[in-house]
Amino acid sequence: MGVYITWAFGRAGNSPPATKQGRQTAYQPPRTSWSHPPRGTLKLNSDAGVFSDGSVGLGFVVRDSSGEAVMAGAKRCAAAGDNSTIIEALALRFGLENVQENGLCNIILEVDSRNLWLAVRGEMEMDPSSMLVVGDIQHLARELHYFEISLVKREANKTAHALAHYGKDEGYESVWNENFPCNWYIRNDVRLEPN
């Protein structure tokens, strides 16, 4: 049984309740289902998949404290070799770019890649090409009023994974603010327990 740490950063005066700015928060048990973010905060889950035909799909979903999707995206991208961390990083960057373009600013990031989680926190050295993407993520995250990044089990990230499949199959970039293609996954991925 493992644990994970949430790492948080906020600009002065923009920290959500019960979270300390710029510090690691308490150890928590690993989650295997999606959980609601605190009120006033959105949660961005991202994922990527490399499929048997060599294609790569990226997906993300942003949900509010009631579990409702406010944005989702999917796209296919060129293969990035066999480096799963850079592929996961491309998915997170794709989500953060769209969050920023849409003016969303208090975000909890959740990923299921331990290497990506460590790299974004600045706790893992990576090859130069991976660090370029991670540097983009760190820059985009610092532009938000508040963000934190959490490592979750794959089971807590299945909607983003479904969107990565969708992106691989569609072959072009799609971003939705309504009429989401994966409503079944979004609804069934939400843990109905209170915060």
Side-chain angles (χ1 to χ4, degrees):
M1 180 169 162
V3 294
Y4 74 92
I5 298 173
T6 300
W7 183 74
F9 174 82
R11 292 183 184 169
N14 292 322
S15 184
T19 305
K20 296 180 180 171
Q21 285 184 198
R23 304 171 111 194
Q24 292 179 350
T25 57
Y27 285 92
Q28 299 175 14
R31 284 195 314 269
T32 57
S33 62
W34 188 86
S35 65
H36 300 270
R39 196 172 300 281
T41 307
L42 300 171
K43 187 175 281 188
L44 165 65
N45 290 81
S46 65
D47 203 12
V50 179
F51 302 98
S52 58
D53 63 358
S55 62
V56 175
L58 309 178
F60 75 89
V61 61
V62 179
R63 289 177 278 203
D64 64 18
S65 60
S66 66
E68 290 296 314
V70 297
M71 181 186 299
K75 74 176 183 178
R76 184 181 192 139
C77 72
D82 61 356
N83 184 336
S84 63
T85 304
I86 194 169
I87 294 167
E88 294 277 347
L90 290 169
L92 182 54
R93 183 176 70 183
F94 173 47
L96 275 172
E97 288 169 341
N98 282 283
V99 159
Q100 191 174 56
E101 286 173 17
N102 283 274
L104 307 177
C105 56
N106 292 322
I107 307 293
I108 297 172
L109 313 173
E110 284 190 340
V111 296
D112 59 17
S113 165
R114 180 173 171 75
N115 288 346
L116 176 57
W117 175 70
L118 288 169
V120 170
R121 292 164 45 99
E123 297 178 11
M124 181 177 175
E125 294 283 327
M126 300 181 74
D127 63 271
S129 61
S130 297
M131 283 312 296
L132 287 173
V133 179
V134 170
D136 289 347
I137 291 167
Q138 292 169 331
H139 174 76
L140 289 165
R142 280 192 298 268
E143 294 295 313
L144 300 170
H145 288 270
Y146 172 84
F147 82 93
E148 65 183 62
I149 185 164
S150 298
L151 177 66
V152 296
K153 290 192 174 188
R154 177 167 288 191
E155 295 88 354
N157 216 21
K158 58 189 169 185
T159 300
H161 188 74
L163 286 158
H165 273 273
Y166 187 90
K168 172 253 192 199
D169 292 339
E170 288 300 306
Y172 55 88
E173 182 174 321
S174 299
V175 177
W176 303 272
N177 292 317
E178 57 185 39
N179 301 322
F180 300 100
C182 296
N183 274 333
W184 184 87
Y185 285 106
I186 291 169
R187 297 213 191 294
N188 287 295
D189 194 22
V190 175
R191 184 176 69 180
L192 298 176
E193 302 166 20
N195 289 344

